[in-house]
């Protein structure tokens, strides 16, 4: 099964992806995570991407499309994957379609986690991430058992550099302009499923899980 998980910054894509990939045995491919790893290692891609990410802008389509072309061609994707945060523009969606045709693969579902802007600002500014294993927490909504320490691996938690109020506002604006048109694009293809992401994490997951189970049995 090949699934796209979309939604505004902070909607809970990463949080839901962790659960979905476990339940449906899918590979989790997050363009945000790939880019952050490149930034950390200071690769040529990372150096280029950092300047866009730091100001809340999208990294140019061409760079992202090339990354995903290579990633999807790897044999581990054949067992199914969840694409978290890609595509994010209509141009990326069209490129994805071409790549999948070449690879003889097909999209099964596009899930949009929908949350209002006010709530997103709270979610993002309160987010903390484990430095070692990447698990995501929230100071209020999903706190670790011990403050600043990961429940799973005892790693230290940090705040993403793009989770400041100003950058979050810019990311939300960019989402509205560049990513929102994708909803109509996928509605037209009958792949689109929206879930109300303002509810507790487990309730959101239940809806997504029921929907994917249906698609899987089709
Ligand atoms: P990316 O890393 O994808 O960031 P994003 O889209 O802004 O989304 P986030 O990761 O911030 O949020 P999320 O939806 O995963 O939420 P999470 O589960 O963490 O991209 C970063 C940057 O990389 C982009 O700005 C861009 O520059 C670049 N980039 C990436 N992909 C690109 C592409 N395809 N094209 C071009 N550029 C690209 O949850 C957020 C918080 O809320 C957490 O604290 C969590 O614990 C909490 N939470 C989650 N669910 C709930 C709930 N139901 N109730 C209460 N709290 C919740
Ligand atoms: Mg994420
Ligand atoms: Zn950890």
């Amino acid at each position: 099964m090949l699934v796209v998980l979309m939604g505004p910054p902070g909607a809970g894509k990463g949080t839901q992806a962790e659960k979905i990939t476990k339940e449906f045995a899918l590979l989790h491919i997050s363009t945000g995570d790939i880019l952050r790893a490149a930034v950390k290692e200071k690769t040529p891609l990372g150096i280029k991407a950092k300047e866009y990410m730091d100001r809340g802008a999208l990294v140019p389509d061409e760079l992202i499309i090339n990354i995903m072309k290579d990633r999807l061609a790897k044999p581990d994707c054949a067992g199914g994957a969840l694409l978290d945060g890609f595509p994010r523009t209509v141009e990326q969606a069209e490129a994805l379609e071409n790549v999948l045709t070449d690879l003889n693969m097909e999209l099964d579902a596009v899930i949009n986690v929908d949350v209002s802007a006010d709530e997103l600002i709270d979610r993002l500014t309160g987010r903390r991430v484990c430095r070692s294993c990447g698990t995501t927490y929230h100071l209020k909504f999903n706190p670790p058992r011990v403050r600043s320490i990961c429940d799973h691996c005892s790693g230290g938690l940090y705040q993403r550099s793009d989770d400041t109020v100003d950058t979050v506002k810019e990311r939300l604006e960019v989402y509205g302009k560049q990513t929102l048109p994708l909803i109509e694009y996928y509605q037209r293809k009958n792949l689109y499923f929206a879930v109300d992401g303002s509810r507790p994490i487990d309730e959101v997951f239940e809806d997504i899980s029921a929907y994917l189970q249906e698609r899987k049995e089709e």
Side-chain angles (χ1 to χ4, degrees):
M1 202 160 49
L2 192 64
V3 181
V4 164
L5 188 60
M6 60 177 286
K13 298 183 295 292
T15 303
Q16 295 299 329
E18 215 182 296
K19 293 171 164 290
I20 299 166
T21 50
K22 211 166 164 192
E23 172 99 1
F24 292 92
L26 301 173
L27 202 63
H28 181 189
I29 302 178
S30 152
T31 39
D33 288 347
I34 292 172
L35 293 170
R36 275 184 293 279
V39 169
K40 198 172 161 195
E41 284 165 31
K42 299 197 170 70
T43 65
L45 164 72
I47 291 165
K48 238 186 249 170
K50 187 175 175 355
E51 106 188 54
Y52 296 93
M53 296 169 81
D54 279 350
R55 54 185 165 88
L58 293 186
V59 171
D61 283 334
E62 197 197 325
L63 278 181
I64 294 287
I65 290 166
N66 283 331
I67 295 173
M68 289 305 281
K69 224 187 231 170
D70 291 347
R71 187 63 194 90
L72 287 164
K74 290 197 176 150
D76 59 353
C77 291
L82 180 79
L83 311 184
D84 162 359
F86 174 86
R88 234 179 254 238
T89 62
V90 171
E91 192 173 339
Q92 290 180 20
E94 285 166 350
L96 173 64
E97 237 176 85
N98 293 334
V99 171
L100 293 180
T101 306
D102 289 346
L103 293 169
N104 210 1
M105 287 160 80
E106 218 176 20
L107 254 189
D108 294 286
V110 174
I111 294 167
N112 185 31
V113 185
D114 205 12
V115 179
S116 72
D118 287 352
E119 203 170 330
L120 293 171
I121 294 177
D122 284 346
R123 284 195 188 180
L124 289 172
T125 50
R127 171 168 57 190
R128 297 293 182 272
V129 183
C130 173
R131 211 175 277 287
S132 315
C133 75
T135 300
T136 297
Y137 298 89
H138 191 282
L139 294 181
K140 251 199 293 193
F141 309 136
N142 185 21
R145 283 194 288 269
V146 181
R147 201 184 154 83
S148 301
I149 304 278
C150 177
D151 290 353
H152 302 297
C153 75
S154 301
L157 306 186
Y158 77 101
Q159 182 168 25
R160 256 167 62 172
S161 60
D162 59 348
D163 279 348
T164 59
V165 177
D166 286 344
T167 311
V168 164
K169 285 188 177 153
E170 180 60 24
R171 285 158 63 197
L172 290 173
E173 202 151 304
V174 164
Y175 173 82
K177 283 196 197 128
Q178 297 185 260
T179 309
L180 219 51
L182 269 186
I183 293 181
E184 216 176 287
Y185 179 89
Y186 282 122
Q187 273 171 337
R188 265 187 273 123
K189 294 188 184 291
N190 283 329
L191 288 168
Y192 182 77
F193 177 72
V195 57
D196 173 6
S198 64
R199 297 165 302 150
I201 293 170
D202 287 336
E203 278 181 38
V204 177
F205 175 64
E206 252 172 59
D207 280 9
I208 296 176
S209 175
Y211 175 71
L212 287 180
Q213 197 59 45
E214 253 174 57
R215 300 295 314 212
K216 204 178 151 186
E217 283 159 13
E218 266 169 21

